[in-house]
């Protein structure tokens, strides 16, 4: 029988909101760090990319997960309306850079458009492009000379 933490990780690995809810119901705390990372960070760093990713993010948020970066969260949720509202409040958000140590190529110094492209978040990408996101923006280059790619890489 898997532990609640193992069930949560299985839910993340398969983008199963049912498994995530099962783990939370079994006592996994949505904001407690696991191996030094919040559940939301663990989900974002997992290998799988699927249309169910944003549903998993939404599942965590509905359970009380915290994310202080609303613009970034709007992208992860693929929520164009929330993202557009945040961009109206803070137009410089379009230039924001984030670091995600994901299982694919790490996104270091990446724009929100990089994040939308990485996860296939079409509504968020469209909102960012409409707001003037630069499709030629380059991510940072790491200490080994990797990255530096554009969102359409």
């Amino acid at each position: 029988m898997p532990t609640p933490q193992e069930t949560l990780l299985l839910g993340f690995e398969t983008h199963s909101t049912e498994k995530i809810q099962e783990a939370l119901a079994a006592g996994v705390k949505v904001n407690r760090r696991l191996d030094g990372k919040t559940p939301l960070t663990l989900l974002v760093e997992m290998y799988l990319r699927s249309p169910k990713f944003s549903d998993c993010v939404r599942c965590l948020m509905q359970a009380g997960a915290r994310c202080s970066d609303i613009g970034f969260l709007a992208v992860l949720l693929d929520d164009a309306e929330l993202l557009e509202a945040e961009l109206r409040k803070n137009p410089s958000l379009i230039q924001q850079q984030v670091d995600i140590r994901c299982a694919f190529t790490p996104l270091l110094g990446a724009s929100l458009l990089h994040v939308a492209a990485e996860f296939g978040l079409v509504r968020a990408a469209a909102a960012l492009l409409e707001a003037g996101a630069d499709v030629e923006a380059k991510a940072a280059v790491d200490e080994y000379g990797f990255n530096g790619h554009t969102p359409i890489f």
Side-chain angles (χ1 to χ4, degrees):
M1 184 101 184
T3 67
Q5 182 174 334
E6 290 168 338
T7 300
L8 181 70
L9 294 176
L10 177 60
F12 290 171
E13 289 175 354
T14 60
H15 287 172
S16 168
T17 55
E18 294 81 11
K19 289 290 181 193
I20 295 168
Q21 290 168 341
E22 179 183 330
L24 295 172
V28 171
K29 303 296 182 206
V30 75
N31 290 303
R32 182 173 293 154
R33 293 183 178 273
L34 307 169
D35 297 324
K37 298 177 181 181
T38 66
L40 180 59
T41 299
L42 289 171
L43 171 63
V44 171
E45 291 181 351
M46 284 289 172
Y47 186 80
L48 182 65
R49 301 293 183 258
S50 84
K52 297 188 287 181
F53 171 77
S54 291
D55 294 336
C56 295
V57 174
R58 193 168 289 103
C59 181
L60 291 175
M61 298 313 294
Q62 289 170 345
R66 292 186 300 265
C67 179
S68 61
D69 187 339
I70 304 303
F72 179 62
L73 177 62
V75 173
L76 296 178
L77 290 168
D78 202 19
D79 187 332
E81 288 180 18
L82 178 59
L83 181 55
E84 289 162 355
E86 287 301 303
L87 286 163
R88 282 191 296 277
K89 286 191 258 181
N90 180 9
S92 67
L93 185 63
I94 203 76
Q95 303 297 327
Q96 178 177 330
Q97 293 183 330
V98 299
D99 290 339
I100 302 174
R101 305 226 177 256
C102 54
F104 280 173
T105 302
L107 294 174
L108 306 176
S111 69
L112 294 179
L113 186 56
H114 281 90
V115 176
E118 172 75 15
F119 290 93
L121 305 170
V122 176
R123 290 182 293 273
L128 289 164
L129 290 169
E130 182 67 27
D134 182 2
V135 297
E136 296 297 328
K138 293 186 185 229
V141 176
D142 71 11
E143 65 270 20
Y144 303 106
F146 292 108
N147 294 314
H149 54 285
T150 68
I152 57 174
F153 168 65

